[in-house]
Amino acid sequence: MKAIVLSFISILVLGILHGQRQDFKLEFKLRFENQKIYCDVVPTQDYQIAGMQFGINHNSDYVIFDTAYSNVLDFRRKVYNEICPKNVRFLWSTSTANENTQLIKNVPFLTLEYEELIPTNHFICMMQSGSPSCTTMNREAFYISGTNLIFYDIPDICVEYRIQDGAIILANDDTKLNLYDPVWFDNLNKTLQIDQSLINQNCEIRIQSINGARLFNFVGNYSGQTFSLNELRSGVYVYSIQTAQAQWQSGKFVVLD
């Protein structure tokens, strides 16, 4: 595998000397099956490629990337590396000199399989281009033309969505999904954190198990305090908040031992 990576880097250096850049346009197509999400990476037109690298990130802290697979690219020559809890990166190159691989318009060449521990309003995006880190990944593709490499830049891709009634619901330009969540659980200190917008408001805060058992209840003037919940075991819990100005607002959070 190390030799493959070095070969890829050598090709990139050659391309810097001889290449030119075009757009390599992709899109993400999401589907929800058997409680898992499948993100198909799809070219928007036909391409010839000899190598590519890019990363994908998810905005949730509670996402598990299961696997990635392809009927087009030989994954024995691909690096699949989960470098952070909610990010993955991909590196692939052809094993034969002067050989390109055909990608066909609207036909997925890669499928990323993952699951969300808390299905809610989320987005999945192409990582920003840059040196590999938890938030960036060099993002480009190339093909071989004679003795030259022709480079592609991969434009931004970001899909905002939620899971509702067993289906993927996508946001659009007219109806953006609300990614804001006012409650989160600090697993290190075992405390419930609440957005500061509720400070100095009379409210009721309830915590229930996923089965509906009430485990915590606060009624009074919230002044920014956190709530210690050491007794909660690993699992998914439901919160509900009501203030004088609003109806009940509910959501979920995860506790990890």
Side-chain angles (χ1 to χ4, degrees), residues 30-42:
L30 304 183
R31 48 198 168 89
F32 185 64
E33 299 175 2
N34 299 319
Q35 303 303 310
K36 292 188 177 182
I37 301 169
Y38 297 85
C39 176
D40 293 325
V41 184
V42 182

Side-chain angles (χ1 to χ4, degrees), residues 38-39 53 75 115 144 193 196 209:
Y38 297 85
C39 176
Q53 56 181 340
F75 275 21
E115 56 186 313
I144 299 170
Q193 311 285 324
Q196 298 294 297
S209 71

Side-chain angles (χ1 to χ4, degrees), residues 201 241-249:
Q201 289 194 48
I241 298 177
Q242 185 182 45
T243 65
Q245 294 79 22
Q247 299 294 319
W248 282 103
Q249 179 175 355

Side-chain angles (χ1 to χ4, degrees), residues 31-32 35 37 116 118-122 161-171 175 177 252:
R31 48 198 168 89
F32 185 64
Q35 303 303 310
I37 301 169
E116 296 175 355
I118 307 180
T120 183
N121 295 342
H122 287 150
Y161 68 96
R162 70 176 183 271
I163 300 172
Q164 181 175 309
D165 299 327
I168 295 284
I169 307 297
L170 300 179
T175 308
L177 299 176
K252 297 177 183 178

Side-chain angles (χ1 to χ4, degrees), residues 18-235:
H18 300 289
Q20 60 187 25
R21 293 195 176 269
Q22 304 175 12
D23 273 345
F24 184 72
K25 295 182 179 180
L26 306 173
E27 62 180 351
F28 293 158
K29 293 187 176 180
L30 304 183
R31 48 198 168 89
F32 185 64
E33 299 175 2
N34 299 319
Q35 303 303 310
K36 292 188 177 182
I37 301 169
Y38 297 85
C39 176
D40 293 325
V41 184
V42 182
T44 61
Q45 63 187 62
D46 292 343
Y47 289 106
Q48 295 280 337
I49 64 164
M52 67 169 63
Q53 56 181 340
F54 60 86
I56 296 176
N57 74 286
H58 191 286
N59 75 306
S60 174
D61 288 324
Y62 305 110
V63 61
I64 299 174
F65 291 109
D66 292 325
T67 188
Y69 50 89
S70 173
N71 294 323
V72 180
L73 305 181
D74 185 346
F75 275 21
R76 289 174 301 174
R77 300 192 300 273
K78 176 189 118 324
V79 175
Y80 172 71
N81 182 21
E82 185 171 333
I83 58 174
C84 295
K86 55 185 180 179
N87 299 295
V88 291
R89 60 183 182 180
F90 301 91
L91 174 64
W92 174 86
S93 64
T94 182
S95 62
T96 305
N98 299 318
E99 177 184 282
N100 294 312
T101 296
Q102 176 74 47
L103 299 185
I104 301 174
K105 177 180 178 180
N106 296 329
V107 175
F109 68 86
L110 172 68
T111 298
L112 178 63
E113 177 185 341
Y114 64 97
E115 56 186 313
E116 296 175 355
L117 298 180
I118 307 180
T120 183
N121 295 342
H122 287 150
F123 59 80
I124 188 166
C125 299
M126 188 76 70
M127 279 187 190
Q128 294 298 307
S129 186
S131 299
S133 73
C134 285
T135 58
T136 59
M137 175 66 189
N138 290 328
R139 199 170 75 187
E140 58 192 349
F142 63 87
Y143 70 92
I144 299 170
S145 178
T147 59
N148 294 329
L149 298 183
I150 309 300
F151 269 75
Y152 298 110
D153 285 321
I154 302 177
D156 289 338
I157 308 170
C158 202
V159 178
E160 190 177 326
Y161 68 96
R162 70 176 183 271
I163 300 172
Q164 181 175 309
D165 299 327
I168 295 284
I169 307 297
L170 300 179
N172 55 50
D173 292 336
D174 298 324
T175 308
K176 283 295 182 184
L177 299 176
N178 179 18
L179 297 175
Y180 166 74
D181 195 335
V183 173
W184 64 98
F185 190 76
D186 182 345
N187 278 285
L188 180 62
N189 297 306
K190 300 300 181 183
T191 56
L192 193 70
Q193 311 285 324
I194 300 177
D195 189 273
Q196 298 294 297
S197 63
L198 286 180
I199 287 179
N200 297 323
Q201 289 194 48
N202 287 317
C203 64
E204 181 174 357
I205 303 169
R206 297 177 183 174
I207 304 299
Q208 297 173 284
S209 71
I210 202 70
N211 296 320
R214 189 175 300 187
L215 305 172
F216 173 84
N217 200 72
F218 170 86
V219 179
N221 186 63
Y222 177 72
S223 57
Q225 69 269 37
T226 61
F227 300 99
S228 178
L229 297 175
N230 291 314
E231 70 279 7
L232 295 186
R233 310 304 299 170
S234 292

